[in-house]
Amino acid sequence: GVLGQRVPVTRYSLSLTYKDSTKLVSNGVPIHGRVGQNRNEFYKYMLSQADLDLIISLTPSFGDPDVYISLTQPFPNKKNFTWSQTAFGPDTLTIQSIDILQHGCNPKLSGFCTFYLGVYGFLNSSFSMVVHTNEGFTSPLTLLEQHPQSGSVSTGEYTYYRYIISSTNRLTTSIKLTITPLDDGDQDLYIMFGQLNAAGNPVNASHYEPGRSHYDYKSTNWASSTDQIEVSNGMAHFCRQCVLYVAVYGYKGGHYILQASSQGVLSLVQNQAIGGRVDLKTYVYYSFFNAVQFAQISISLTMVSGDADLYVSTTQLPTEESYVWRSSNFGNDVKVILYDDPQYCWNCEYFVGVYGYKNSTFTLLVSTTSSSVVKLKPNSPQLIAVSALQIKYFTALLASSAADTTVTITEMNSGSADLFVQLFNASSFTSAAGGDQFVLPDPSDPSTYRYTTRH
């Protein structure tokens, strides 16, 4: 059973999928997934219209997924594929209709063709994927609440989206829409508000097609800066039960990330800067998910104008009075959070507040770097998982060379692992993480370790 809560009408997509099976993707509707490092998740898409380009957009919230596509291989991967997109970060791939036809797909003859997609985890990754044909405003893409979505648009053309706002929360005070170029392109935003019927479905959509000469609000910043539209309570067209139509216009073609929110918080895509603005003595909020157990998290606030400060929490929206971490320098701010910080958490959400000490514009960037060598705390057991043939490295500083030291590994399930230990003089060697990677214990080279549990 699915129980709707808080709003009159809840829209959702429901699917049942067996483990290691192939999931069906609907045209223009985002599908969310996770994929482990060096693993694959598989999908399929049914193309029923001829003479249309096919566009695949893959947007990571963390990690780095890649996508492989085939018309003949049900499980495409790095070795078996016809098309691929393997850029670091967001990926968008356009397969032209002529290319589709040349590879034997002609829906006019067969009724439909099946495209198989494999999402490969170059790193442990969480992502959103949209597969669609370019049909213009007759079939706008679905934009979901607080889910960044990558896309592309050609110079002088439009890509259309539809964002349904369905909130009874009276604390919803603004609707935000941001677009950040991923290259040297320049995209502009045009939006129009439409109506929903009693069933919560859009009506008279054709009356609300936004564009350069027909819009309720627009943002047309110059060059490759973030465009943002914010419609606040009290402004014309503000609503809590309506549909927002969005046109992304290619003043100069390129790739971008688009995001909408009516909840006051925007999501950050790791390693991708986002532009923003904040007024004097107010806050703007962002969030990101940290999935890495041992990492260094860096949050960078770079001022374009004015002066703003940085506040971070893992439990609530932070303020000047309530936060876990902060950086309040004049000008740029950087906050680095290490895995050995007592407040550090993983598989959890971080909330970032930017406070306007003055009216300010800025860029915000979050990046997560996994630690190759983890520091152990004396007398503090550390729970960790390691895959078959994978190696995890640790380091510990001994208080005295004369004291006996015991290193213990306790298996928590049916798996099996071995320890390999090497000692170094701390007066001349800081740690194995200090760049001297050649000294790390290598199970295949006995000269690199002194002690082992291997029999």
Side-chain angles (χ1 to χ4, degrees), residues 9-32:
V9 178
T10 300
R11 297 164 185 81
Y12 58 89
S13 173
L14 182 66
S15 62
L16 173 66
T17 306
Y18 293 106
K19 183 179 179 181
D20 298 326
S21 63
T22 300
K23 307 173 185 68
L24 182 64
V25 179
S26 300
N27 186 69
V29 178
I31 187 169
H32 303 284

PDB file of all heavy atoms in Angstrom, residues 9-32:
ATOM      1  N   VAL A   9      -2.604  15.717  -3.341  1.00  0.00           N
ATOM      2  CA  VAL A   9      -2.304  14.719  -4.375  1.00  0.00           C
ATOM      3  C   VAL A   9      -0.806  14.446  -4.377  1.00  0.00           C
ATOM      4  O   VAL A   9      -0.002  15.376  -4.475  1.00  0.00           O
ATOM      5  CB  VAL A   9      -2.741  15.206  -5.774  1.00  0.00           C
ATOM      6  CG1 VAL A   9      -2.377  14.160  -6.824  1.00  0.00           C
ATOM      7  CG2 VAL A   9      -4.243  15.482  -5.796  1.00  0.00           C
ATOM      8  N   THR A  10      -0.417  13.197  -4.238  1.00  0.00           N
ATOM      9  CA  THR A  10       0.984  12.799  -4.310  1.00  0.00           C
ATOM     10  C   THR A  10       1.216  12.019  -5.598  1.00  0.00           C
ATOM     11  O   THR A  10       0.530  11.034  -5.869  1.00  0.00           O
ATOM     12  CB  THR A  10       1.375  11.917  -3.105  1.00  0.00           C
ATOM     13  OG1 THR A  10       1.158  12.648  -1.895  1.00  0.00           O
ATOM     14  CG2 THR A  10       2.833  11.503  -3.188  1.00  0.00           C
ATOM     15  N   ARG A  11       2.179  12.461  -6.386  1.00  0.00           N
ATOM     16  CA  ARG A  11       2.504  11.780  -7.641  1.00  0.00           C
ATOM     17  C   ARG A  11       3.745  10.936  -7.432  1.00  0.00           C
ATOM     18  O   ARG A  11       4.714  11.396  -6.825  1.00  0.00           O
ATOM     19  CB  ARG A  11       2.753  12.807  -8.760  1.00  0.00           C
ATOM     20  CG  ARG A  11       1.531  13.639  -9.071  1.00  0.00           C
ATOM     21  CD  ARG A  11       1.882  14.874  -9.876  1.00  0.00           C
ATOM     22  NE  ARG A  11       0.709  15.701 -10.040  1.00  0.00           N
ATOM     23  CZ  ARG A  11       0.254  16.544  -9.130  1.00  0.00           C
ATOM     24  NH1 ARG A  11       0.901  16.666  -7.989  1.00  0.00           N
ATOM     25  NH2 ARG A  11      -0.831  17.252  -9.349  1.00  0.00           N
ATOM     26  N   TYR A  12       3.710   9.732  -7.952  1.00  0.00           N
ATOM     27  CA  TYR A  12       4.864   8.863  -7.775  1.00  0.00           C
ATOM     28  C   TYR A  12       4.909   7.842  -8.902  1.00  0.00           C
ATOM     29  O   TYR A  12       3.925   7.602  -9.609  1.00  0.00           O
ATOM     30  CB  TYR A  12       4.808   8.145  -6.422  1.00  0.00           C
ATOM     31  CG  TYR A  12       3.566   7.315  -6.205  1.00  0.00           C
ATOM     32  CD1 TYR A  12       3.519   5.981  -6.605  1.00  0.00           C
ATOM     33  CD2 TYR A  12       2.433   7.866  -5.596  1.00  0.00           C
ATOM     34  CE1 TYR A  12       2.374   5.220  -6.405  1.00  0.00           C
ATOM     35  CE2 TYR A  12       1.295   7.116  -5.392  1.00  0.00           C
ATOM     36  CZ  TYR A  12       1.266   5.792  -5.796  1.00  0.00           C
ATOM     37  OH  TYR A  12       0.149   5.048  -5.604  1.00  0.00           O
ATOM     38  N   SER A  13       6.078   7.281  -9.061  1.00  0.00           N
ATOM     39  CA  SER A  13       6.284   6.170  -9.989  1.00  0.00           C
ATOM     40  C   SER A  13       6.653   4.960  -9.152  1.00  0.00           C
ATOM     41  O   SER A  13       7.561   5.023  -8.318  1.00  0.00           O
ATOM     42  CB  SER A  13       7.414   6.496 -10.982  1.00  0.00           C
ATOM     43  OG  SER A  13       7.711   5.372 -11.774  1.00  0.00           O
ATOM     44  N   LEU A  14       5.958   3.851  -9.343  1.00  0.00           N
ATOM     45  CA  LEU A  14       6.159   2.646  -8.535  1.00  0.00           C
ATOM     46  C   LEU A  14       6.579   1.506  -9.446  1.00  0.00           C
ATOM     47  O   LEU A  14       5.961   1.254 -10.480  1.00  0.00           O
ATOM     48  CB  LEU A  14       4.867   2.288  -7.802  1.00  0.00           C
ATOM     49  CG  LEU A  14       4.910   1.072  -6.870  1.00  0.00           C
ATOM     50  CD1 LEU A  14       5.834   1.339  -5.692  1.00  0.00           C
ATOM     51  CD2 LEU A  14       3.507   0.740  -6.381  1.00  0.00           C
ATOM     52  N   SER A  15       7.653   0.828  -9.071  1.00  0.00           N
ATOM     53  CA  SER A  15       8.116  -0.307  -9.873  1.00  0.00           C
ATOM     54  C   SER A  15       8.633  -1.396  -8.954  1.00  0.00           C
ATOM     55  O   SER A  15       9.106  -1.128  -7.843  1.00  0.00           O
ATOM     56  CB  SER A  15       9.217   0.119 -10.849  1.00  0.00           C
ATOM     57  OG  SER A  15      10.351   0.595 -10.150  1.00  0.00           O
ATOM     58  N   LEU A  16       8.507  -2.630  -9.401  1.00  0.00           N
ATOM     59  CA  LEU A  16       9.028  -3.793  -8.687  1.00  0.00           C
ATOM     60  C   LEU A  16      10.160  -4.372  -9.524  1.00  0.00           C
ATOM     61  O   LEU A  16       9.966  -4.707 -10.702  1.00  0.00           O
ATOM     62  CB  LEU A  16       7.923  -4.838  -8.483  1.00  0.00           C
ATOM     63  CG  LEU A  16       8.363  -6.183  -7.881  1.00  0.00           C
ATOM     64  CD1 LEU A  16       8.830  -5.975  -6.448  1.00  0.00           C
ATOM     65  CD2 LEU A  16       7.221  -7.196  -7.927  1.00  0.00           C
ATOM     66  N   THR A  17      11.335  -4.480  -8.932  1.00  0.00           N
ATOM     67  CA  THR A  17      12.505  -4.930  -9.666  1.00  0.00           C
ATOM     68  C   THR A  17      13.234  -5.991  -8.867  1.00  0.00           C
ATOM     69  O   THR A  17      13.496  -5.799  -7.672  1.00  0.00           O
ATOM     70  CB  THR A  17      13.461  -3.757  -9.946  1.00  0.00           C
ATOM     71  OG1 THR A  17      12.741  -2.709 -10.591  1.00  0.00           O
ATOM     72  CG2 THR A  17      14.606  -4.203 -10.838  1.00  0.00           C
ATOM     73  N   TYR A  18      13.540  -7.103  -9.508  1.00  0.00           N
ATOM     74  CA  TYR A  18      14.340  -8.121  -8.852  1.00  0.00           C
ATOM     75  C   TYR A  18      15.808  -7.721  -8.852  1.00  0.00           C
ATOM     76  O   TYR A  18      16.263  -6.963  -9.709  1.00  0.00           O
ATOM     77  CB  TYR A  18      14.176  -9.479  -9.565  1.00  0.00           C
ATOM     78  CG  TYR A  18      12.793 -10.064  -9.440  1.00  0.00           C
ATOM     79  CD1 TYR A  18      11.914 -10.055 -10.524  1.00  0.00           C
ATOM     80  CD2 TYR A  18      12.367 -10.609  -8.238  1.00  0.00           C
ATOM     81  CE1 TYR A  18      10.641 -10.588 -10.414  1.00  0.00           C
ATOM     82  CE2 TYR A  18      11.091 -11.153  -8.111  1.00  0.00           C
ATOM     83  CZ  TYR A  18      10.237 -11.131  -9.206  1.00  0.00           C
ATOM     84  OH  TYR A  18       8.982 -11.652  -9.088  1.00  0.00           O
ATOM     85  N   LYS A  19      16.532  -8.227  -7.859  1.00  0.00           N
ATOM     86  CA  LYS A  19      17.957  -7.939  -7.768  1.00  0.00           C
ATOM     87  C   LYS A  19      18.675  -8.381  -9.046  1.00  0.00           C
ATOM     88  O   LYS A  19      18.405  -9.450  -9.592  1.00  0.00           O
ATOM     89  CB  LYS A  19      18.554  -8.654  -6.555  1.00  0.00           C
ATOM     90  CG  LYS A  19      20.034  -8.343  -6.337  1.00  0.00           C
ATOM     91  CD  LYS A  19      20.563  -9.058  -5.102  1.00  0.00           C
ATOM     92  CE  LYS A  19      22.041  -8.758  -4.903  1.00  0.00           C
ATOM     93  NZ  LYS A  19      22.582  -9.470  -3.718  1.00  0.00           N
ATOM     94  N   ASP A  20      19.584  -7.532  -9.526  1.00  0.00           N
ATOM     95  CA  ASP A  20      20.390  -7.796 -10.720  1.00  0.00           C
ATOM     96  C   ASP A  20      19.553  -7.882 -11.999  1.00  0.00           C
ATOM     97  O   ASP A  20      19.999  -8.430 -13.001  1.00  0.00           O
ATOM     98  CB  ASP A  20      21.217  -9.094 -10.570  1.00  0.00           C
ATOM     99  CG  ASP A  20      22.199  -9.004  -9.411  1.00  0.00           C
ATOM    100  OD1 ASP A  20      22.715  -7.892  -9.173  1.00  0.00           O
ATOM    101  OD2 ASP A  20      22.434 -10.029  -8.759  1.00  0.00           O
ATOM    102  N   SER A  21      18.316  -7.383 -11.983  1.00  0.00           N
ATOM    103  CA  SER A  21      17.496  -7.377 -13.188  1.00  0.00           C
ATOM    104  C   SER A  21      17.606  -6.025 -13.876  1.00  0.00           C
ATOM    105  O   SER A  21      18.294  -5.121 -13.410  1.00  0.00           O
ATOM    106  CB  SER A  21      16.044  -7.698 -12.846  1.00  0.00           C
ATOM    107  OG  SER A  21      15.508  -6.711 -11.996  1.00  0.00           O
ATOM    108  N   THR A  22      16.891  -5.872 -14.989  1.00  0.00           N
ATOM    109  CA  THR A  22      16.946  -4.653 -15.783  1.00  0.00           C
ATOM    110  C   THR A  22      15.699  -3.822 -15.531  1.00  0.00           C
ATOM    111  O   THR A  22      14.584  -4.315 -15.647  1.00  0.00           O
ATOM    112  CB  THR A  22      17.066  -5.004 -17.278  1.00  0.00           C
ATOM    113  OG1 THR A  22      18.259  -5.770 -17.483  1.00  0.00           O
ATOM    114  CG2 THR A  22      17.143  -3.747 -18.119  1.00  0.00           C
ATOM    115  N   LYS A  23      15.887  -2.541 -15.213  1.00  0.00           N
ATOM    116  CA  LYS A  23      14.767  -1.663 -14.877  1.00  0.00           C
ATOM    117  C   LYS A  23      14.324  -0.906 -16.122  1.00  0.00           C
ATOM    118  O   LYS A  23      15.147  -0.473 -16.934  1.00  0.00           O
ATOM    119  CB  LYS A  23      15.180  -0.684 -13.778  1.00  0.00           C
ATOM    120  CG  LYS A  23      15.766  -1.345 -12.542  1.00  0.00           C
ATOM    121  CD  LYS A  23      16.306  -0.318 -11.574  1.00  0.00           C
ATOM    122  CE  LYS A  23      17.007  -0.981 -10.392  1.00  0.00           C
ATOM    123  NZ  LYS A  23      18.257  -1.666 -10.775  1.00  0.00           N
ATOM    124  N   LEU A  24      13.018  -0.708 -16.253  1.00  0.00           N
ATOM    125  CA  LEU A  24      12.462   0.020 -17.389  1.00  0.00           C
ATOM    126  C   LEU A  24      12.427   1.515 -17.070  1.00  0.00           C
ATOM    127  O   LEU A  24      11.982   1.927 -16.005  1.00  0.00           O
ATOM    128  CB  LEU A  24      11.046  -0.475 -17.698  1.00  0.00           C
ATOM    129  CG  LEU A  24      10.349   0.161 -18.905  1.00  0.00           C
ATOM    130  CD1 LEU A  24      11.087  -0.173 -20.194  1.00  0.00           C
ATOM    131  CD2 LEU A  24       8.905  -0.311 -18.981  1.00  0.00           C
ATOM    132  N   VAL A  25      12.883   2.337 -18.019  1.00  0.00           N
ATOM    133  CA  VAL A  25      12.925   3.789 -17.858  1.00  0.00           C
ATOM    134  C   VAL A  25      11.817   4.408 -18.700  1.00  0.00           C
ATOM    135  O   VAL A  25      11.664   4.069 -19.884  1.00  0.00           O
ATOM    136  CB  VAL A  25      14.292   4.354 -18.292  1.00  0.00           C
ATOM    137  CG1 VAL A  25      14.337   5.868 -18.139  1.00  0.00           C
ATOM    138  CG2 VAL A  25      15.413   3.713 -17.482  1.00  0.00           C
ATOM    139  N   SER A  26      11.041   5.324 -18.106  1.00  0.00           N
ATOM    140  CA  SER A  26       9.986   6.028 -18.830  1.00  0.00           C
ATOM    141  C   SER A  26      10.532   7.295 -19.477  1.00  0.00           C
ATOM    142  O   SER A  26      11.453   7.929 -18.951  1.00  0.00           O
ATOM    143  CB  SER A  26       8.837   6.394 -17.873  1.00  0.00           C
ATOM    144  OG  SER A  26       8.281   5.239 -17.285  1.00  0.00           O
ATOM    145  N   ASN A  27       9.925   7.667 -20.593  1.00  0.00           N
ATOM    146  CA  ASN A  27      10.404   8.833 -21.337  1.00  0.00           C
ATOM    147  C   ASN A  27      10.268  10.112 -20.517  1.00  0.00           C
ATOM    148  O   ASN A  27       9.184  10.468 -20.049  1.00  0.00           O
ATOM    149  CB  ASN A  27       9.605   8.988 -22.631  1.00  0.00           C
ATOM    150  CG  ASN A  27      10.160  10.095 -23.516  1.00  0.00           C
ATOM    151  OD1 ASN A  27      11.246   9.966 -24.061  1.00  0.00           O
ATOM    152  ND2 ASN A  27       9.421  11.183 -23.659  1.00  0.00           N
ATOM    153  N   GLY A  28      11.387  10.810 -20.307  1.00  0.00           N
ATOM    154  CA  GLY A  28      11.383  12.119 -19.668  1.00  0.00           C
ATOM    155  C   GLY A  28      11.176  12.127 -18.173  1.00  0.00           C
ATOM    156  O   GLY A  28      11.039  13.201 -17.581  1.00  0.00           O
ATOM    157  N   VAL A  29      11.162  10.958 -17.525  1.00  0.00           N
ATOM    158  CA  VAL A  29      10.929  10.883 -16.083  1.00  0.00           C
ATOM    159  C   VAL A  29      12.224  10.436 -15.394  1.00  0.00           C
ATOM    160  O   VAL A  29      12.756   9.369 -15.698  1.00  0.00           O
ATOM    161  CB  VAL A  29       9.800   9.895 -15.744  1.00  0.00           C
ATOM    162  CG1 VAL A  29       9.602   9.805 -14.235  1.00  0.00           C
ATOM    163  CG2 VAL A  29       8.505  10.322 -16.425  1.00  0.00           C
ATOM    164  N   PRO A  30      12.756  11.218 -14.456  1.00  0.00           N
ATOM    165  CA  PRO A  30      14.005  10.836 -13.785  1.00  0.00           C
ATOM    166  C   PRO A  30      13.846   9.532 -13.014  1.00  0.00           C
ATOM    167  O   PRO A  30      12.817   9.266 -12.414  1.00  0.00           O
ATOM    168  CB  PRO A  30      14.278  12.008 -12.836  1.00  0.00           C
ATOM    169  CG  PRO A  30      13.471  13.149 -13.373  1.00  0.00           C
ATOM    170  CD  PRO A  30      12.260  12.530 -14.009  1.00  0.00           C
ATOM    171  N   ILE A  31      14.895   8.727 -13.053  1.00  0.00           N
ATOM    172  CA  ILE A  31      14.957   7.523 -12.240  1.00  0.00           C
ATOM    173  C   ILE A  31      16.222   7.621 -11.394  1.00  0.00           C
ATOM    174  O   ILE A  31      17.264   8.052 -11.862  1.00  0.00           O
ATOM    175  CB  ILE A  31      14.965   6.247 -13.107  1.00  0.00           C
ATOM    176  CG1 ILE A  31      14.853   5.004 -12.221  1.00  0.00           C
ATOM    177  CG2 ILE A  31      16.169   6.172 -14.033  1.00  0.00           C
ATOM    178  CD1 ILE A  31      14.591   3.723 -12.991  1.00  0.00           C
ATOM    179  N   HIS A  32      16.092   7.267 -10.118  1.00  0.00           N
ATOM    180  CA  HIS A  32      17.203   7.408  -9.185  1.00  0.00           C
ATOM    181  C   HIS A  32      17.800   6.037  -8.885  1.00  0.00           C
ATOM    182  O   HIS A  32      17.089   5.028  -8.832  1.00  0.00           O
ATOM    183  CB  HIS A  32      16.744   8.077  -7.895  1.00  0.00           C
ATOM    184  CG  HIS A  32      16.115   9.414  -8.119  1.00  0.00           C
ATOM    185  ND1 HIS A  32      16.845  10.532  -8.399  1.00  0.00           N
ATOM    186  CD2 HIS A  32      14.820   9.801  -8.140  1.00  0.00           C
ATOM    187  CE1 HIS A  32      16.039  11.562  -8.570  1.00  0.00           C
ATOM    188  NE2 HIS A  32      14.796  11.139  -8.422  1.00  0.00           N
TER     189      HIS A  32
END
